Amino acid sequence: GKSVHLVCVLKGGVFFMCGVEFYSKSRYQEWLDKLSDSDPLKAELEAIKGDDKEIEDRFYQDLSFGTAGLRGKVGAGTNRMNFLTVGKASQGVADYIVSKGKEACEKGVVIAHDPRHFSKEFSQLAAGIFAANGIKVYTFPDLRPTPELAFMVRRLGTVSGINITASHNPREYNGYKAYWDDGCQVSSDVADGMTEKINAVDIWTGIKTSDFDEGVKSGKIVVLGAEYDREYLDKIEGMAIHEGDELDLSIPLVYTPLNGCGSIPFRQMLTDRGFSNWKIVPEQENPDPDFTTVGYPNPEDPKAFKLSEQYGREFGAELLMATDPDSDRFAIEIRDDNGNYIPLNGNQTGYLLVNYVLEGRKDAGTLPAKGAMVKSIVTSTLSTIMAKAYGIEMFETLTGFKNICGKIPYLHENGYTYLFGYEESVGYAVCEDIRDKDGISAGMLVAEAAAYYRKQGKTLWDVLQEIYAKYGFFAEDEPNMVLEGIPGAQRIQRMMKWFRENIPTSVAGAKVEKVIDYINGYEDIPAQNAIRLFLDNGSWFAIRPSGTEPKIKFYFYSNRDSRENALETNRKIKEEIFGLIDSVE
């Protein structure tokens, strides 16, 4: 499955053919030869004959499997999501489970899917493969949120979980998230074991399959009933901090599921909690794999709130809320003093949630003597200051909720009570029984907080300004550069290599005091391709390639005597770093 980098050179140094191009064309021809004439994948490949660049992009590598599972564009090719690549991955995961013994097979796998193109079909394919390999399968009658899938792994006691989803990626993408028995996405060790089995599967002859409907009839595949959805919602609603007369439940709200999985559970949650004055964006209420009215379905992008803002103005909404297509990410816009909708970044929403949990727990007398919160290494340190003020310890982990929620067993073993976990990319883990980010529970607490403060005559905007005034005027900026395809991936590698070899001694007039390079791990944090620099003016920034998208990501944080000065300091640091990194060709 790995590309062979061979180069034939003629006299004078003229390249005749590079190994990647030859390798891609040979695999392309193999697929043409082996696919049946009736297979739509063959017609798709026939249509790109002669397009060397497209052939290379589709075949230069196998779609890589890692701790985030698979993620890629839907289409024909080894570097695409299709029935062959999903089948190969499912067979490999099945082989890994079988290698763990009979008990693992009996515990089984729970499978869910989102509304994307081929998600349901891929999920049924995976279910049929697991069943054919003697593994018990649980699935849902229709699309479900990723956090519900994560919850069900532990609730049902399965050995693994699979969700067919590309989360917030553009419509061309799909993905394959894999979970293990702790309810978290698979660790590096498990992912490596699965990858070894996947690589050993012959994509043409090595996949055992069975019919999904026959599996349901025979009992090898169990379709879960509505009572399990109710358990998930009960678990979320049990995380309420304030209820009843403490809340102004008439607060006007607007919610959009961005045509994803959140529509039914989020609406049910609002109804259960007694919110009486809310509206869902009608054009984005139902599943739409093309995300026609939103384009890029990432609530982290303020453009995703265009329709929400329109309805919010008509409705007089104080709070706009959105979840991404698989409902694990959650973002908001709130009204400022002038009545304008202001998009909050993931850090700012995190400040509100950290503040609400700590303040509410203290007022209720339920703040534990040894409490803990968890954030990623690229998330603002303002929340660490806030936690410390309440006597709560903030732990840092690598990015991703397999790491954030993966810290929970350690906390339990060391006598801590888990209170909250989050990262800047609009992901929040409210409930320790749901070992992944959860947009439904985060939405419940934010709506509850808005209703609680409204009862006190305050808005979330007021509370955010109070947080800055009390704990420090921070600025947060998380830009990224999208660099797609082979050239993009290679350029990202060059950028990281160049920066490591050219660490600046000062940035925007501030001295670099400390550098942490996580490439080989740091203290108790495992290895990740990330670098973090701390400046003597209280600012810091980090750089890392995305693990799931063709991006290099940047994180800038400054703490000054006013929000305006913090933003200006951040701007200067970002401008200088982008000038350096963008010069790398």
Side-chain angles (χ1 to χ4, degrees), residues 1 60-72 78-81 85 89 176 191 195 198-199 547-548:
Y60 81 96
Q61 66 174 4
D62 285 348
L63 201 62
S64 61
F65 186 94
T67 55
L70 298 174
R71 187 80 60 90
T78 59
N79 192 34
R80 294 288 187 271
M81 289 285 293
T85 55
Y176 188 103
T195 298
I198 292 168
N199 288 341
T548 58

Side-chain angles (χ1 to χ4, degrees), residues 371-376 384 393-397 407 410-411 416 524:
M373 291 184 166
V374 188
K375 73 174 190 67
S376 75
T384 304
E393 187 165 353
M394 180 69 77
F395 289 84
E396 284 194 341
T397 72
K407 196 75 176 177
Y410 168 86
L411 298 178
Y416 288 94
D524 64 340

Side-chain angles (χ1 to χ4, degrees), residues 500 503 515-522 528-532:
R500 283 193 167 90
I503 297 290
V515 179
I516 301 176
D517 191 342
Y518 295 92
I519 193 68
N520 295 313
Y522 176 76
Q528 188 176 78
N529 188 10
I531 306 171
R532 198 173 175 193

Side-chain angles (χ1 to χ4, degrees), residues 522-559:
Y522 176 76
E523 295 181 346
D524 64 340
I525 296 176
Q528 188 176 78
N529 188 10
I531 306 171
R532 198 173 175 193
L533 277 71
F534 297 83
L535 310 182
D536 66 358
N537 65 354
S539 302
W540 65 273
F541 65 92
I543 307 173
R544 75 175 187 93
S546 170
T548 58
E549 299 174 274
K551 294 178 178 180
I552 182 168
K553 305 182 83 170
F554 302 83
Y555 311 83
F556 298 96
Y557 299 103
S558 293
N559 180 13

